[in-house]
Amino acid sequence: MGDGQQRSTIAVLGAGYGGLTAFLELEERLDRRTHDVVLVNASPYHYFVTELHTLATGVEEEETLRIPLRRMIRPPGRLLVARVDRLDLQARTVHLEDAPPLHYDHCIIGLGSDPEYFGLPGVQEHALVVGNPEGARLLRDQLMKLLAAAGDTRPHCIVAGGGLTGVETAGELADAYPGRLHTTLVEAGADIMAGFDPYLVREARRVLEDKGITLHTGVPISAAGDGSISFRDGSTIPCDLLIWAGGVRGSGILARSGLPISAKGRVRTDLYLRAEGVTDVYLVGDAASFLDPATGREVPPSAQAAVQMGRTAARNLLATMTGQPLQAFVPRIKGAFASLGKGTGVGYIGDDKYVGLPATVIKRLIEAHHAYEAGGLVPILGRFVRPLTCWLGLRVRPRRYLPATPADPPRPPELPMH
């Protein structure tokens, strides 16, 4: 682009793992004189979304789970803190809830996900969620209120969903409130942690049951009410708090924008992560429905896949602008890890399996690697130390948050990440 020509605008929507990776890649490679790279995010922070269960359970402070986005901004990049309402694909415009519309020449969408309730009656009305900062804060406050009002009784908390988010949340709850809270983990499938090696699943079950967690598997939920959940076999379980970790779907913004949507609410993409039929829009992370040619299946949403998508989408966008050939996205899912409470976890890299403290330390190293690449290593160092102190036998007390009241104002790597 020569002198005197209009600057090209690239909009990156969402600062999750995929969006942030794409933004940093573009920011590093584009000429500040000819390009404007705008990162649009509802919050001024990048959150370690895979660790929000520790915020929801009151174990970690929010500051240890986020990085200020302004630390990462340098020309030609700029940050726009605003909520996306929808895209006008014909006009190449992003409509925002609290800011003027943003015109773009190219767009990368990494807007994350919404909870998937599968149309089950009462679940959305009665359940709290873990997977976004607002939901995690609300869950933390409701949990604190429940425990404060419980007195000598032992409230019953149900965690619905036996995937990584569910088992991690249940494990943290059991460690944070021993003897004060009874936790049941409910999974519709035959066992928890689908896709993990059977040995790691058995180890995870053993750890969770040793912590006093009840595992209820093999019977899907049919409905949720005020104070209980029902199952397809006609049984019910009373509960004082229902935490939903039963799955996610693409953000509703995608459908409102007229993009080609899959059954799970994500945007169907071509091999290069472009939206089908829309060559100037790329999708990354939970927003992308990418069918892996090697398996014929949709790549499941994970931080690891999102980082890889972000890098590929940014490089393909750059190739488009310079007339170079595009590269097909090839997912390389190297492993996954789950923490199961203080100082213990399970996970794998390739054929190597890890249990206990080694799994927890590797998971923390993965987080630290991502934080380092994003320029925010310091906030996460305290979290890395905690499992080591637990292993040494030192008692580390979680932060006990109080519910917000009017008087108390509310206060990309190639390594495996779930």
Side-chain angles (χ1 to χ4, degrees), residues 13-352:
L13 309 183
Y17 292 102
L20 180 61
T21 299
F23 174 79
L24 294 176
E25 189 87 6
L26 293 169
E27 192 181 53
E28 169 138 354
R29 294 171 179 262
L30 286 174
D31 187 336
R32 61 185 293 180
R33 296 168 298 178
T34 54
H35 296 91
D36 186 21
V37 187
V38 186
L39 178 62
V40 182
N41 199 55
S43 162
Y45 301 99
H46 167 69
Y47 280 86
F48 296 92
V49 174
T50 57
E51 301 304 309
L52 285 176
H53 61 279
T54 62
L55 171 62
T57 54
V59 171
E60 294 288 351
E61 300 181 49
E62 188 165 344
E63 289 73 17
T64 68
L65 304 175
R66 68 188 190 189
I67 304 172
L69 290 170
R70 295 197 183 279
R71 288 186 183 177
M72 311 172 210
I73 306 299
R74 64 179 186 275
R78 64 184 175 95
L79 173 64
L80 177 57
V81 179
R83 291 185 180 275
V84 176
D85 177 62
R86 62 181 177 85
L87 281 76
D88 183 332
L89 301 177
Q90 296 300 319
R92 290 184 175 177
T93 300
V94 182
H95 292 276
L96 306 169
E97 292 183 3
D98 36 19
L102 173 67
H103 173 80
Y104 65 85
D105 296 286
H106 303 275
C107 185
I108 296 178
I109 301 176
L111 288 171
S113 59
D114 293 335
E116 174 60 275
Y117 298 108
F118 303 104
L120 296 174
V123 171
Q124 185 171 357
E125 292 78 12
H126 294 98
L128 299 173
V129 298
V130 183
N132 59 70
E134 296 82 2
R137 290 187 210 108
L138 178 60
L139 174 52
R140 179 196 65 199
D141 289 349
Q142 292 299 314
L143 178 61
M144 295 303 109
K145 289 178 181 178
L146 176 64
L147 291 170
D152 295 331
T153 63
R154 192 181 180 200
H156 185 200
C157 173
I158 291 180
V159 180
L164 294 180
T165 300
V167 299
E168 291 186 326
T169 301
E172 291 288 357
L173 284 171
D175 279 350
Y177 310 102
R180 298 184 59 197
L181 186 73
H182 177 61
T183 302
T184 296
L185 179 62
V186 173
E187 166 56 38
D191 213 336
I192 61 174
M193 300 177 66
F196 270 65
D197 182 88
Y199 164 70
L200 296 178
V201 174
R202 288 195 300 271
E203 286 296 305
R205 287 188 69 104
R206 179 187 61 78
V207 170
L208 295 175
E209 290 173 342
D210 286 349
K211 293 175 183 289
I213 297 169
T214 300
L215 301 182
H216 186 285
T217 60
V219 184
I221 292 173
S222 61
D226 186 9
S228 68
I229 62 171
S230 303
F231 297 88
R232 286 188 191 171
D233 63 0
S235 62
T236 63
I237 299 179
C239 67
D240 300 290
L241 184 67
L242 175 59
I243 300 174
W244 185 255
V248 296
R249 61 183 291 107
S251 167
I253 297 168
L254 305 175
R256 289 203 301 273
S257 301
L259 289 159
I261 301 298
S262 73
K264 296 182 179 179
R266 304 181 184 115
V267 177
R268 298 192 301 271
T269 74
D270 62 15
L271 293 176
Y272 311 107
L273 297 176
R274 298 176 301 188
E276 287 185 353
V278 189
T279 57
D280 55 0
V281 174
Y282 290 80
L283 284 302
V284 298
D286 293 0
S289 174
F290 177 84
L291 296 182
D292 185 354
T295 64
R297 299 177 181 175
E298 183 179 277
V299 174
S302 70
Q304 182 181 181
V307 168
Q308 295 175 8
M309 286 179 174
R311 190 165 291 125
T312 297
R315 291 176 179 177
N316 278 339
L317 193 157
L318 291 167
T320 297
M321 297 171 66
T322 56
Q324 301 299 312
L326 305 184
Q327 293 185 348
F329 174 59
V330 179
R332 295 179 174 87
I333 309 304
K334 299 184 177 181
F337 285 81
S339 60
L340 301 172
K342 291 188 295 187
T344 189
V346 296
Y348 67 93
I349 300 176
D351 294 330
D352 297 326

